[in-house]
Amino acid sequence: MTAERPMPTQDDVLGYFNTLSNWGRWGDDDQLGTLNHITDDVRLAAARAVRHGRSVSCAWEVAAPGDMERSTTTCPCTADMPGAENMPPAFHADRRWGFSSERLGISFHGNTLTHLDSPCHIFWDGTMYNGRSHSLVDAATGSAWAAVTAAANGIVTRGVLLDVAAARDVAWLEPGQGVSPDDLEEAERRQGVQVRPGDAVLLRTGYGRFRHENGAAHGFTQAGWHASCLPWLQERGVALIGADTPQDVQPSGYDDVLMPVHAVSLVAMGLWLLDNCDLEACATTAAELDQWDFQLAVAPVRFAGTSGSPVNPIATF
């Protein structure tokens, strides 16, 4: 960290729950949080960021078995399936078509799958974004507050990839290395881009490259956003952040705040998170085109009452 930006103390980080709070900013009943920064004008500007028409995925493939439980049914001739005798006559006449279908089971939170966190994912002192109680999350019905369905219309905005690994001239950041505001601004300078209000900022630590070459790492030590970035994100009016790790650098450096980026972002700021992106194709395309901004589209599945959704973020250059 530079002399102009000293490392925040634990008391500073705990103070972020107040100083960076967006409670009431968009009304007492607001559940969108920083997604309110994505106005119609921001979406129009995001459309103008499409200059080549090239789209890339920013998600990992969900493998089975492993990442999910999958049961697949195949029926080469539907007319022969059990219960077909109870179907209308026309159903029996067509003996040429069959089908396959799946039943899936998936736990998307964690360190592997690309997913979106909505504000109800994290509590602090038993409280969620905008001052709502954790009791609004029910084991049977899920969350009645700030669930992923608050973003049912999708998230379409200007995305900016900040390649901190390249800015530091390394293949990837080592586990435990945090990214500071100085890193973000150096990446902006190097890439000739600047983060604007309403943007989604995607942080590349290079872990995606490591994972492609070596497989997923295990344990609870990783590179990622340092808590010192939180005021910077608030000042810039960022709507959404993502990373090629589960966001927070680990260890966080604070004994009493395990995951400050998750906690302050989701609870105080209402800042939605894209965890575990695969940013390698995005970074390669950005470098090839010399274009580090793009239209980002994130469409969460409308799972009622859930604290997030698996997603496939699409960057279109």
Side-chain angles (χ1 to χ4, degrees):
M1 304 289 288
T2 66
E4 291 76 22
R5 285 196 179 99
M7 182 76 73
T9 67
Q10 180 166 278
D11 286 342
D12 292 331
V13 173
L14 290 170
Y16 291 164
F17 285 98
N18 294 318
T19 60
L20 302 183
S21 174
N22 286 321
W23 292 10
R25 179 176 180 177
W26 295 286
D28 291 340
D29 293 328
D30 174 61
Q31 301 180 55
L32 284 174
T34 55
L35 297 186
N36 284 288
H37 290 309
I38 306 175
T39 63
D40 292 348
D41 287 341
V42 168
R43 279 185 282 268
L44 287 170
R48 290 191 289 271
V50 179
R51 300 190 281 277
H52 299 274
R54 190 181 305 181
S55 291
V56 296
S57 168
C58 297
W60 290 95
E61 184 171 293
V62 183
D67 296 328
M68 66 176 171
E69 297 176 1
R70 179 175 63 189
S71 174
T72 300
T73 299
T74 62
C75 185
C77 181
T78 306
D80 294 334
M81 72 178 186
E85 64 275 7
N86 299 318
M87 300 297 290
F91 190 87
H92 303 278
D94 186 350
R95 299 194 57 83
R96 302 186 67 176
W97 72 286
F99 68 89
S100 66
S101 64
E102 291 80 28
R103 181 179 178 85
L104 307 178
I106 187 170
S107 178
F108 54 84
H109 287 301
N111 297 355
T112 305
L113 274 62
T114 307
H115 65 273
L116 179 69
D117 287 345
S118 70
C120 73
H121 178 47
I122 297 293
F123 312 144
W124 186 259
D125 287 335
T127 304
M128 295 185 285
Y129 171 67
N130 232 351
R132 295 311 200 272
S133 170
H134 71 93
S135 63
L136 289 174
V137 181
D138 179 78
T141 59
S143 183
W145 182 257
V148 75
T149 45
N153 292 329
I155 303 169
V156 179
T157 192
R158 177 176 176 257
V160 175
L161 177 68
L162 295 182
D163 192 341
V164 170
R168 291 194 187 181
D169 195 25
V170 296
W172 51 73
L173 273 60
E174 294 298 329
Q177 290 185 318
V179 171
S180 74
D182 294 328
D183 289 311
L184 303 178
E185 291 176 4
E186 174 59 20
E188 284 184 316
R189 185 200 64 76
R190 180 179 179 274
Q191 298 169 192
V193 70
Q194 188 166 32
V195 172
R196 304 193 303 235
D199 284 350
V201 179
L202 304 183
L203 169 64
R204 180 178 178 267
T205 71
Y207 173 65
R209 176 177 172 180
F210 176 93
R211 183 172 164 182
H212 279 290
E213 294 181 5
N214 302 286
H218 300 285
F220 200 59
T221 304
Q222 66 207 23
W225 300 93
H226 188 271
S228 58
C229 292
L230 291 165
W232 191 92
L233 295 167
Q234 180 84 321
E235 290 165 10
R236 295 296 186 98
V238 170
L240 172 75
I241 63 170
D244 51 10
T245 67
Q247 312 292 353
D248 288 79
V249 61
Q250 289 295 332
S252 71
Y254 304 102
D255 292 340
D256 296 338
V257 197
L258 175 66
M259 296 191 294
V261 173
H262 264 76
V264 175
S265 293
L266 292 171
V267 177
M269 300 168 67
L271 175 62
W272 296 53
L273 308 178
L274 272 174
D275 292 354
N276 309 317
C277 295
D278 180 2
L279 299 176
E280 294 310 289
C282 188
T284 299
T285 303
E288 176 189 342
L289 301 176
D290 192 24
Q291 178 185 334
W292 297 89
D293 66 335
F294 40 84
Q295 183 188 65
L296 183 72
V298 183
V301 181
R302 295 179 70 172
F303 289 132
T306 63
S307 57
S309 169
V311 289
N312 180 20
I314 302 295
T316 303
F317 292 81

